[in-house]
Amino acid sequence: MGKASRDKRDIYYRKAKEEGWRARSAFKLLQIDEEFNIFEGVKRVVDLCAAPGSWSQVLSRKLYLPAKLSPGTKDNDPPLIVAIDLQPMAPIEGVIQVQGDITNAKTAEVVIRHFDGCKADLVVCDGAPDVTGLHDMDEFVQSQLILAVSFLEKLLELI
């Protein structure tokens, strides 16, 4: 792409690149936390549909890195962050990455093993299926994704 294409991108795209976020969606999660303080007291979190990893980056910077850098934190105290996606992602400090399908029970079992019998404090998801342009099909696939996320979230709350 030429310079003209780059200039037309929105301010959040450029701001994300300047601040080192993988995608502009990082600002969405930061705004949600600013408004509702969702990270308070969180020790175990799952990021569903995580690629390219901007929400996992936010979780790492807001939860894992401060705990790691705190002088009173023991090795087993930092929050546990598990990111799941079909696509591979570049590593993020403090984030366990699981390449798998959130609609598959085996993927849920992998996450549950990482939590070692403890409940998830927070489940975040910024996923959306690829659209085909066939509205009925797209609506069905989106519904299936929502159901899979809800099912996995309930599983993680019940362990």
Side-chain angles (χ1 to χ4, degrees), residues 21 26 48 61 63 79 87 93 106 111 118 158:
W21 300 111
L48 303 174
R61 291 184 192 181
L63 297 173
Q87 305 296 320
E93 187 173 1
K106 290 181 182 181
V111 176
C118 296
L158 295 174

Side-chain angles (χ1 to χ4, degrees), residues 8 32 43 122:
K8 292 178 184 175
I32 291 168
K43 296 296 279 181
L122 178 66

Side-chain angles (χ1 to χ4, degrees), residues 135-155:
H135 299 296
D136 290 341
M137 174 70 89
D138 292 340
E139 184 178 340
F140 174 76
V141 174
Q142 179 67 43
S143 299
Q144 294 304 304
L145 180 63
I146 291 168
L147 287 172
V149 168
S150 298
F151 176 72
L152 187 57
E153 183 179 24
K154 290 299 176 203
L155 271 178

Side-chain angles (χ1 to χ4, degrees), residues 57-72:
Q57 279 183 300
V58 170
L59 295 167
S60 175
R61 291 184 192 181
K62 293 291 243 171
L63 297 173
Y64 177 80
L65 293 177
K68 179 185 171 196
L69 298 174
S70 177

Side-chain angles (χ1 to χ4, degrees), residues 63-90:
L63 297 173
Y64 177 80
L65 293 177
K68 179 185 171 196
L69 298 174
S70 177
T73 304
K74 299 174 187 160
D75 289 336
N76 59 356
D77 282 344
L80 181 60
I81 303 165
V82 178
I84 306 168
D85 201 284
L86 289 169
Q87 305 296 320
M89 296 187 326

Side-chain angles (χ1 to χ4, degrees), residues 11 14 19 32 34 38 44 67 71-72 104-105 110 114 127-128 143 151:
I11 189 169
R14 292 190 303 272
E19 294 182 17
I32 291 168
E34 187 177 305
I38 63 171
R44 287 169 300 279
N104 189 317
V110 171
H114 282 296
S143 299
F151 176 72

